[in-house]
Amino acid sequence: MKDLDIKFPLDKFERLIIDIGWESLDEWFNFWNNQRNILSIDQYWNNKVNDDWIWGLALPIFSQAYKFKNYFSDRKIIGISALPGTGKTTLGKWLEAISLKLNFKIAVISIDDFYLPSDEMKLAIKNNPWNVSRGFPGSHSVKLMHEKLLNWKINGELNVPVFDKSLRNGLGDRSHWRLDNPDLLILEGWFLGIKPYPIDINDPFINTMNLSPNESSYIYNIQNNLNEYLDIWTLIDKIWHLKPLKIEYMNSWKKDQEKEMFLQKGNALKDEKLSNFLRMLNVSIPHKSFDFINSYALLLIDQERNLIEAGLNL
C-alpha cells in the first residue's frame, strides 16, 4: 500500500484486516489490487474520492461482507453509523454494485427509509423545539423496521419502504416499497447504535450544548424514544462507526448535501429549515453518546473527510 495516498497508521489497520479474515495486509491488498478492473471506482465517485476512502473504508467493509458471504451460512447485517453528509449514500450504491460483480448481492438500506408515513409523522414531530419535519429518534416506524429486518434474517426476503426526502416540497414521504433477496444487508443511519444517555443538567457535556428550556425538556423524550431502537441494534452483527474528529464538521457536509439534492431533484432543505435541521442534529443527542457506540470498527475523519485512523474499536 506504499504507493497509495493514505494518511492513517497501517499498524491498527492491519489488525482490523487480519481480524476480518485475511492472513496479512499484503495478502489483502494484493487480493483487491488484482480485482481493480471490477471496482468501478471512477464510475461511482467521479474522481473526487481519495485512496484512503477506498482502501481504508469501502474495501474493508466490503471485505467483511465478502467473508460473511463465503464463510457463514446465516444471514448477516452490517451497520454503518455516520453523521449526515458523510458520504454514506454514495458508499452504499458502490457496495451494492460491486457485490454483483463478485457473484453475491448486497442491499443497503437506511434507517430513514423507515420514517413514519406523513400522517403519523405529524403526530410524532408535533411541538418539537426545532420545528423540523423528521430526523430524530421517534420519527421512525421502529416496530416495522425490526419486523422487516428479522424477517429477512429468517427467510431471506427483504420487503422495505423507500423514503424520498424530496417529496412534499422537501418534507419527504415514502415513495414505494423495495422487494429484494440479498445475500447480505447493510443498514446505515446517523444515530445507528446510539443508546440512551443519562441526561443530567449538571453534566458538563450537556451544559456545553447551550440548550433552550424547550430543548432541554424535549431531549428527555428523545432519550426515551431511543429505548425502542435497542432491539434493532441487537440484529446488527457488526457496526462500522465513521466518526468525525468534531461533530461540528457535519454542518458544512450537510449543507453541501442539501445543495446537491436541490440540483438533482429541485427540492431540499434551505435557509431557516436547514438551520433548524442542523440545530436538531447538533443537540437532539448528546455528543458524548457517540463515544459509546458498540462498534466493531472505528474510522476517524477530519473536516475534509480524510481518513486519519482506521482500526478495531478496542
Side-chain angles (χ1 to χ4, degrees), residues 193-206:
I194 290 285
K195 298 177 181 178
Y197 182 86
I199 301 296
D200 181 351
I201 58 173
N202 296 315
D203 187 325
F205 295 109
I206 302 298

Side-chain angles (χ1 to χ4, degrees), residues 259-274:
K259 285 179 184 177
E260 186 67 25
M261 188 163 79
F262 185 79
L263 290 174
Q264 290 181 2
K265 297 192 174 183
N267 274 311
L269 295 172
K270 296 174 69 176
D271 305 323
E272 185 180 6
K273 286 184 177 179
L274 178 56

Side-chain angles (χ1 to χ4, degrees), residues 45-80:
W45 275 287
N46 300 320
N47 296 320
K48 291 186 289 187
V49 66
N50 296 333
D51 286 339
D52 59 357
W53 197 263
I54 296 296
W55 291 94
L57 170 67
L59 279 173
I61 291 176
F62 188 76
S63 298
Q64 184 163 76
Y66 181 83
K67 288 291 184 179
F68 276 164
K69 169 62 173 63
N70 288 301
Y71 294 99
F72 292 86
S73 58
D74 57 328
R75 298 180 185 88
K76 300 287 189 182
I77 298 177
I78 294 175
I80 300 177

Side-chain angles (χ1 to χ4, degrees), residues 14-24 27-28 60 63-64 66-68 71-72 296:
E14 181 164 30
R15 288 196 289 273
L16 170 64
I17 295 302
I18 291 172
D19 195 80
I20 289 171
W22 264 262
E23 289 293 325
S24 68
E27 184 207 16
W28 175 82
S63 298
Q64 184 163 76
Y66 181 83
K67 288 291 184 179
F68 276 164
Y71 294 99
F72 292 86
Y296 167 72

Side-chain angles (χ1 to χ4, degrees), residues 81-101:
S81 185
L83 293 172
T86 307
K88 300 188 297 296
T89 302
T90 304
L91 173 62
K93 289 177 180 177
W94 180 82
L95 288 166
E96 287 190 340
I98 212 68
S99 68
L100 296 177
K101 296 186 177 185

